[in-house]
Amino acid sequence: MRIGPIGFWELVVILVIILLFFGRSRLPRLAKSIRTSVREFRNEVRQPNNADKDSEERAGSEQTTEEDATRALKDNLSEDIRDKTRG
């Protein structure tokens, strides 16, 4: 039986190598992470407009986070300078 360019025995050999490489304990976690990744990929492909909006929102929130961090850093530096000049 052939499945595309890969036959049955080639598939069995690949699965055995994967089993040896990852071990029995990691296979369920590996399958779950692959399943989650495929599901997220399908959702993103189906809704490309929402992904653009989400990325724009994230970019805006990252910019405000940077501004907040810069402000906090400046405030801390100015407090340090005041403390050093007083003491």
mmCIF file of all heavy atoms in Angstrom, residues 59-85:
data_model
loop_
_atom_site.group_PDB
_atom_site.id
_atom_site.type_symbol
_atom_site.label_atom_id
_atom_site.label_comp_id
_atom_site.label_asym_id
_atom_site.label_seq_id
_atom_site.Cartn_x
_atom_site.Cartn_y
_atom_site.Cartn_z
ATOM 1 N N ALA A 59 0.493 46.020 18.702
ATOM 2 C CA ALA A 59 1.524 47.020 18.426
ATOM 3 C C ALA A 59 1.240 48.288 19.220
ATOM 4 O O ALA A 59 2.151 48.898 19.778
ATOM 5 C CB ALA A 59 1.589 47.313 16.932
ATOM 6 N N GLY A 60 -0.014 48.678 19.289
ATOM 7 C CA GLY A 60 -0.377 49.857 20.070
ATOM 8 C C GLY A 60 -0.135 49.659 21.546
ATOM 9 O O GLY A 60 0.371 50.548 22.233
ATOM 10 N N SER A 61 -0.449 48.488 22.079
ATOM 11 C CA SER A 61 -0.227 48.233 23.496
ATOM 12 C C SER A 61 1.257 48.126 23.807
ATOM 13 O O SER A 61 1.704 48.537 24.869
ATOM 14 C CB SER A 61 -0.952 46.964 23.939
ATOM 15 O OG SER A 61 -0.400 45.826 23.313
ATOM 16 N N GLU A 62 2.050 47.583 22.869
ATOM 17 C CA GLU A 62 3.491 47.517 23.088
ATOM 18 C C GLU A 62 4.084 48.912 23.115
ATOM 19 O O GLU A 62 4.983 49.197 23.894
ATOM 20 C CB GLU A 62 4.157 46.683 21.996
ATOM 21 C CG GLU A 62 3.891 45.200 22.099
ATOM 22 C CD GLU A 62 4.442 44.423 20.922
ATOM 23 O OE1 GLU A 62 5.063 45.037 20.033
ATOM 24 O OE2 GLU A 62 4.250 43.207 20.901
ATOM 25 N N GLN A 63 3.581 49.803 22.280
ATOM 26 C CA GLN A 63 4.088 51.163 22.240
ATOM 27 C C GLN A 63 3.785 51.866 23.555
ATOM 28 O O GLN A 63 4.652 52.536 24.114
ATOM 29 C CB GLN A 63 3.472 51.927 21.075
ATOM 30 C CG GLN A 63 4.045 53.316 20.911
ATOM 31 C CD GLN A 63 3.449 54.026 19.711
ATOM 32 O OE1 GLN A 63 2.532 53.530 19.082
ATOM 33 N NE2 GLN A 63 3.971 55.183 19.413
ATOM 34 N N THR A 64 2.574 51.708 24.088
ATOM 35 C CA THR A 64 2.256 52.338 25.364
ATOM 36 C C THR A 64 3.075 51.719 26.482
ATOM 37 O O THR A 64 3.479 52.412 27.403
ATOM 38 C CB THR A 64 0.750 52.228 25.680
ATOM 39 O OG1 THR A 64 0.371 50.858 25.661
ATOM 40 C CG2 THR A 64 -0.076 53.002 24.693
ATOM 41 N N THR A 65 3.342 50.443 26.410
ATOM 42 C CA THR A 65 4.171 49.796 27.417
ATOM 43 C C THR A 65 5.581 50.363 27.383
ATOM 44 O O THR A 65 6.180 50.623 28.419
ATOM 45 C CB THR A 65 4.211 48.273 27.181
ATOM 46 O OG1 THR A 65 2.879 47.769 27.157
ATOM 47 C CG2 THR A 65 4.989 47.575 28.259
ATOM 48 N N GLU A 66 6.111 50.584 26.190
ATOM 49 C CA GLU A 66 7.439 51.185 26.064
ATOM 50 C C GLU A 66 7.440 52.598 26.633
ATOM 51 O O GLU A 66 8.375 52.991 27.334
ATOM 52 C CB GLU A 66 7.865 51.239 24.596
ATOM 53 C CG GLU A 66 8.532 50.001 24.100
ATOM 54 C CD GLU A 66 9.043 50.182 22.681
ATOM 55 O OE1 GLU A 66 9.497 51.289 22.333
ATOM 56 O OE2 GLU A 66 8.975 49.195 21.936
ATOM 57 N N GLU A 67 6.408 53.356 26.335
ATOM 58 C CA GLU A 67 6.325 54.722 26.848
ATOM 59 C C GLU A 67 6.239 54.722 28.371
ATOM 60 O O GLU A 67 6.888 55.528 29.036
ATOM 61 C CB GLU A 67 5.116 55.443 26.248
ATOM 62 C CG GLU A 67 5.259 55.742 24.769
ATOM 63 C CD GLU A 67 3.968 56.249 24.158
ATOM 64 O OE1 GLU A 67 2.939 56.312 24.871
ATOM 65 O OE2 GLU A 67 3.981 56.578 22.963
ATOM 66 N N ASP A 68 5.445 53.807 28.923
ATOM 67 C CA ASP A 68 5.330 53.710 30.377
ATOM 68 C C ASP A 68 6.664 53.332 31.006
ATOM 69 O O ASP A 68 7.052 53.885 32.035
ATOM 70 C CB ASP A 68 4.267 52.678 30.766
ATOM 71 C CG ASP A 68 2.874 53.114 30.366
ATOM 72 O OD1 ASP A 68 2.658 54.332 30.147
ATOM 73 O OD2 ASP A 68 1.990 52.235 30.266
ATOM 74 N N ALA A 69 7.370 52.401 30.379
ATOM 75 C CA ALA A 69 8.663 51.977 30.901
ATOM 76 C C ALA A 69 9.669 53.124 30.843
ATOM 77 O O ALA A 69 10.450 53.326 31.781
ATOM 78 C CB ALA A 69 9.177 50.774 30.120
ATOM 79 N N THR A 70 9.646 53.882 29.764
ATOM 80 C CA THR A 70 10.559 55.023 29.628
ATOM 81 C C THR A 70 10.262 56.066 30.685
ATOM 82 O O THR A 70 11.170 56.596 31.326
ATOM 83 C CB THR A 70 10.435 55.641 28.219
ATOM 84 O OG1 THR A 70 10.659 54.629 27.245
ATOM 85 C CG2 THR A 70 11.419 56.765 28.031
ATOM 86 N N ARG A 71 8.970 56.348 30.898
ATOM 87 C CA ARG A 71 8.592 57.313 31.926
ATOM 88 C C ARG A 71 9.039 56.856 33.313
ATOM 89 O O ARG A 71 9.580 57.632 34.100
ATOM 90 C CB ARG A 71 7.075 57.511 31.921
ATOM 91 C CG ARG A 71 6.674 58.796 31.265
ATOM 92 C CD ARG A 71 5.204 59.078 31.439
ATOM 93 N NE ARG A 71 4.620 59.045 30.099
ATOM 94 C CZ ARG A 71 3.701 58.219 29.667
ATOM 95 N NH1 ARG A 71 3.174 57.336 30.461
ATOM 96 N NH2 ARG A 71 3.261 58.264 28.435
ATOM 97 N N ALA A 72 8.830 55.586 33.613
ATOM 98 C CA ALA A 72 9.219 55.050 34.923
ATOM 99 C C ALA A 72 10.726 55.123 35.106
ATOM 100 O O ALA A 72 11.213 55.464 36.188
ATOM 101 C CB ALA A 72 8.734 53.612 35.058
ATOM 102 N N LEU A 73 11.469 54.824 34.061
ATOM 103 C CA LEU A 73 12.924 54.891 34.136
ATOM 104 C C LEU A 73 13.395 56.323 34.385
ATOM 105 O O LEU A 73 14.256 56.570 35.223
ATOM 106 C CB LEU A 73 13.544 54.347 32.847
ATOM 107 C CG LEU A 73 15.055 54.284 32.796
ATOM 108 C CD1 LEU A 73 15.580 53.358 33.874
ATOM 109 C CD2 LEU A 73 15.514 53.798 31.431
ATOM 110 N N LYS A 74 12.802 57.274 33.681
ATOM 111 C CA LYS A 74 13.166 58.679 33.883
ATOM 112 C C LYS A 74 12.837 59.125 35.294
ATOM 113 O O LYS A 74 13.612 59.841 35.936
ATOM 114 C CB LYS A 74 12.444 59.565 32.863
ATOM 115 C CG LYS A 74 12.993 59.470 31.471
ATOM 116 C CD LYS A 74 12.239 60.378 30.530
ATOM 117 C CE LYS A 74 12.760 60.254 29.109
ATOM 118 N NZ LYS A 74 11.998 61.090 28.178
ATOM 119 N N ASP A 75 11.671 58.716 35.811
ATOM 120 C CA ASP A 75 11.290 59.087 37.176
ATOM 121 C C ASP A 75 12.277 58.515 38.186
ATOM 122 O O ASP A 75 12.699 59.202 39.119
ATOM 123 C CB ASP A 75 9.875 58.599 37.494
ATOM 124 C CG ASP A 75 8.822 59.344 36.695
ATOM 125 O OD1 ASP A 75 9.136 60.432 36.170
ATOM 126 O OD2 ASP A 75 7.689 58.828 36.590
ATOM 127 N N ASN A 76 12.653 57.253 38.015
ATOM 128 C CA ASN A 76 13.599 56.630 38.933
ATOM 129 C C ASN A 76 14.954 57.307 38.878
ATOM 130 O O ASN A 76 15.588 57.519 39.913
ATOM 131 C CB ASN A 76 13.748 55.132 38.628
ATOM 132 C CG ASN A 76 12.540 54.339 39.050
ATOM 133 O OD1 ASN A 76 11.771 54.781 39.904
ATOM 134 N ND2 ASN A 76 12.365 53.175 38.461
ATOM 135 N N LEU A 77 15.399 57.645 37.680
ATOM 136 C CA LEU A 77 16.692 58.319 37.550
ATOM 137 C C LEU A 77 16.668 59.688 38.203
ATOM 138 O O LEU A 77 17.612 60.080 38.892
ATOM 139 C CB LEU A 77 17.089 58.436 36.079
ATOM 140 C CG LEU A 77 17.542 57.154 35.402
ATOM 141 C CD1 LEU A 77 17.780 57.414 33.914
ATOM 142 C CD2 LEU A 77 18.804 56.620 36.042
ATOM 143 N N SER A 78 15.582 60.420 37.981
ATOM 144 C CA SER A 78 15.505 61.752 38.583
ATOM 145 C C SER A 78 15.437 61.656 40.104
ATOM 146 O O SER A 78 16.034 62.464 40.812
ATOM 147 C CB SER A 78 14.319 62.532 38.024
ATOM 148 O OG SER A 78 13.114 61.868 38.317
ATOM 149 N N GLU A 79 14.753 60.646 40.651
ATOM 150 C CA GLU A 79 14.720 60.447 42.103
ATOM 151 C C GLU A 79 16.106 60.098 42.624
ATOM 152 O O GLU A 79 16.524 60.604 43.674
ATOM 153 C CB GLU A 79 13.730 59.342 42.461
ATOM 154 C CG GLU A 79 12.282 59.737 42.304
ATOM 155 C CD GLU A 79 11.342 58.576 42.564
ATOM 156 O OE1 GLU A 79 11.791 57.536 43.097
ATOM 157 O OE2 GLU A 79 10.155 58.707 42.251
ATOM 158 N N ASP A 80 16.842 59.257 41.914
ATOM 159 C CA ASP A 80 18.193 58.903 42.321
ATOM 160 C C ASP A 80 19.103 60.136 42.327
ATOM 161 O O ASP A 80 19.901 60.326 43.256
ATOM 162 C CB ASP A 80 18.782 57.833 41.406
ATOM 163 C CG ASP A 80 18.156 56.470 41.605
ATOM 164 O OD1 ASP A 80 17.500 56.274 42.653
ATOM 165 O OD2 ASP A 80 18.312 55.610 40.719
ATOM 166 N N ILE A 81 18.980 60.960 41.309
ATOM 167 C CA ILE A 81 19.814 62.173 41.231
ATOM 168 C C ILE A 81 19.452 63.110 42.384
ATOM 169 O O ILE A 81 20.344 63.664 43.038
ATOM 170 C CB ILE A 81 19.615 62.865 39.860
ATOM 171 C CG1 ILE A 81 20.234 61.987 38.766
ATOM 172 C CG2 ILE A 81 20.241 64.254 39.865
ATOM 173 C CD1 ILE A 81 19.926 62.461 37.362
ATOM 174 N N ARG A 82 18.164 63.271 42.691
ATOM 175 C CA ARG A 82 17.757 64.122 43.806
ATOM 176 C C ARG A 82 18.301 63.601 45.132
ATOM 177 O O ARG A 82 18.775 64.354 45.965
ATOM 178 C CB ARG A 82 16.229 64.208 43.876
ATOM 179 C CG ARG A 82 15.663 65.247 42.962
ATOM 180 C CD ARG A 82 14.168 65.419 43.200
ATOM 181 N NE ARG A 82 13.523 65.069 41.948
ATOM 182 C CZ ARG A 82 12.445 64.328 41.832
ATOM 183 N NH1 ARG A 82 11.846 63.834 42.866
ATOM 184 N NH2 ARG A 82 11.939 64.067 40.648
ATOM 185 N N ASP A 83 18.216 62.276 45.324
ATOM 186 C CA ASP A 83 18.707 61.682 46.564
ATOM 187 C C ASP A 83 20.212 61.882 46.713
ATOM 188 O O ASP A 83 20.713 62.149 47.807
ATOM 189 C CB ASP A 83 18.374 60.185 46.610
ATOM 190 C CG ASP A 83 16.900 59.925 46.759
ATOM 191 O OD1 ASP A 83 16.173 60.855 47.186
ATOM 192 O OD2 ASP A 83 16.462 58.794 46.476
ATOM 193 N N LYS A 84 20.964 61.763 45.636
ATOM 194 C CA LYS A 84 22.421 61.922 45.693
ATOM 195 C C LYS A 84 22.807 63.370 45.959
ATOM 196 O O LYS A 84 23.786 63.644 46.644
ATOM 197 C CB LYS A 84 23.068 61.419 44.408
ATOM 198 C CG LYS A 84 23.049 59.920 44.304
ATOM 199 C CD LYS A 84 23.754 59.443 43.054
ATOM 200 C CE LYS A 84 23.689 57.915 42.987
ATOM 201 N NZ LYS A 84 24.349 57.385 41.822
ATOM 202 N N THR A 85 22.058 64.301 45.385
ATOM 203 C CA THR A 85 22.402 65.705 45.616
ATOM 204 C C THR A 85 22.040 66.145 47.028
ATOM 205 O O THR A 85 22.696 67.007 47.587
ATOM 206 C CB THR A 85 21.693 66.610 44.591
ATOM 207 O OG1 THR A 85 20.285 66.385 44.654
ATOM 208 C CG2 THR A 85 22.215 66.356 43.192
#
